[in-house]
Amino acid sequence: MSDLSKLPGDLEALEVRLRQDLSWLELPAKSWVPTREVDGRTVVDVVIIGGGMAGLVASGMLKRMGVANHLVLDKAPAGQEGPWVTFARMRTLRSAKVLTGPAMGLPALTFRAYYEACFGREAWVALDRAPRETWMEYLIWYRKVLDLPVRNGLSVNSVLPRADGMLDLICSEDSKKEKIVARHVVLATGRDGLGGPFVPDIAKSIDQKFWAHTADDIDFAMLRGKRIGVIGAGASAMDNAATALEGGAARLDMFVRRRELPRINKFTGIGSQGVVHGFAGLPDEWKWRFLNYAMGQQTPPPRPSVLRVSSFEQAHLHLGSPIADLKQEDDHVIVTTPKGSYAVDFLIFGTGFKIDLSNRPELAAVAPYIRLWQDRFPTPAGMENGELEGSPDLGGAFEFLERQPGSCPALSKIHCFNFPATLSHGKLTGDIPAISEGADRLARGIVRSLFVEDREKHFASLQAFDTPELLGDEWAEDEALFELSSERT
Ligand SMILES: Cc1cc2nc3c(=O)[nH]c(=O)nc-3n(C[C@H](O)[C@H](O)[C@H](O)COP(=O)(O)OP(=O)(O)OC[C@H]3O[C@@H](n4cnc5c(N)ncnc54)[C@H](O)[C@@H]3O)c2cc1C
């Protein structure tokens, strides 16, 4: 057995092992989807929009299942996909280091294998959680060792249904426009993939120069010596507060609606293979009940993030303090809560993300036809929940469904593989733990659809296939016995 524990810098050995594992498993499977052409150009079987973690695993699964003709497009430069080295401001991931997440069941593709190969077994044992930059480096390595077909710097601006049932993707790279024809499109567009950052309307009462959302590119150097207000107490709110304090903020006030910080991570607490594979089978009212309850309880900020903030004496926590008013006064803002008024120079909204299809120009042509849960499922009494009501009602392979049957058949070719899929499928998208299971469900569904759609071609191949297994000389009929038995009858 190879020992990956000895030396840091054994990444090459790990890659050799991964290649060996893949070859023992006969992976990737042979390519089998018949080629199509439109206007003399090859149609891409699947285009995945987004080359973050979800897009990479989706690509890995499709490749594994022999859908070789697919592409991953990301507007971000290579190595900067997703939040990890852009707007994420935590030191480490929240997730336990042992989660196998994107590894698709391959031991040599796990974060642990990667980390031990880079830094040694002792470093792994000493590691508490994955530093976010190291997680990004792991994703970069993942893409490289699986040789995934990612194109960076390409924005998908619109997804347009075609008369022949396929989809046109209008893309741009700097000022250059490009059209790609695809049979299926996967939206691996991230936490805000069907919407954007959520900021309460009250923010509009002050000039934009006084505030930012945690997902914005914030120049923390400019906040040095300033009074900062943070609204919300989720993970991102806490990490932004810590970054401001570490950058030299003179004072930090965190305003939290609740009377207590949530302490228990409910949904993670009951995580199991039962939840992963069983959630999608729940009756609708139970799906709603589970998620509405978990959302109501809220996810606590990670303990290290809270300690990172509370270690500063100029940090002040205000519980039971919803924002009642924001008023601009000269070069600062007065924040009023039921408990008092506070002067701040800059506000950071840690208020999460929302689903809002009108925020996604790439989906403008199809958005009016997408069925949401509120179009089909009456909200259970006492469980009103805007986010769940606005969630897309998805089919078995994460594909959109039509609000009016027949109004936009192309929706069945657009797969929503991002966080808003949770109500339909459970937590198989949007975070690390079960992303491989999600990608497996997605890829199987696409494979089924591609095969069924090409049935005539596959049937023609069946008829045309003429490579003999038997050569005809293996066993001849016994003629004497044949004559005898013919006489008796
Ligand atoms: C700050 C932060 C910390 C998190 N920490 C954890 C954690 O510790 N553990 C955990 O399990 N989860 C965590 N998550 C949740 C989740 O794992 C991450 O959001 C993860 O990045 C999701 O991967 P993704 O591929 O779905 O989306 P992303 O990584 O966001 O990737 C989406 C990609 O789509 C691209 N894109 C979007 N639209 C287009 C378009 N029109 N054209 C081209 N490209 C496009 C973007 O450029 C982006 O690179 C965290 C999330 C955030 C925001």
Side-chain angles (χ1 to χ4, degrees), residues 48-56 73-77 80-84 87-90 92-96 99 135 139 152 154-158 187-193 215 235-236 239 353 360 362 417-419 429-433 435:
I48 300 168
I49 309 178
M53 175 181 68
L56 295 183
L73 309 178
D74 200 303
K75 60 187 172 193
Q80 291 188 37
E81 302 87 354
W84 312 110
F87 67 88
R89 296 181 178 112
M90 66 283 188
T92 67
L93 267 57
R94 171 200 288 274
S95 303
L99 289 183
W135 181 257
L139 292 177
N152 286 93
L154 206 66
S155 268
V156 179
N157 304 327
S158 19
L187 305 177
T189 40
R191 183 66 187 74
D192 57 342
S236 287
D239 291 317
F353 299 90
R360 303 298 304 200
E362 68 268 47
F417 194 53
N418 50 30
F419 182 79
T429 51
D431 56 12
I432 296 167
I435 196 70

Side-chain angles (χ1 to χ4, degrees), residues 73 154-157 169-173 176-178 180:
L73 309 178
L154 206 66
S155 268
V156 179
N157 304 327
L169 278 85
I170 311 300
C171 311
S172 61
E173 186 172 12
K176 251 185 22 228
K177 286 242 178 319
E178 183 174 338
I180 297 173

Side-chain angles (χ1 to χ4, degrees), residues 230-250:
V230 174
I231 298 175
S236 287
M238 220 41 98
D239 291 317
N240 276 265
T243 309
L245 287 161
E246 288 160 4

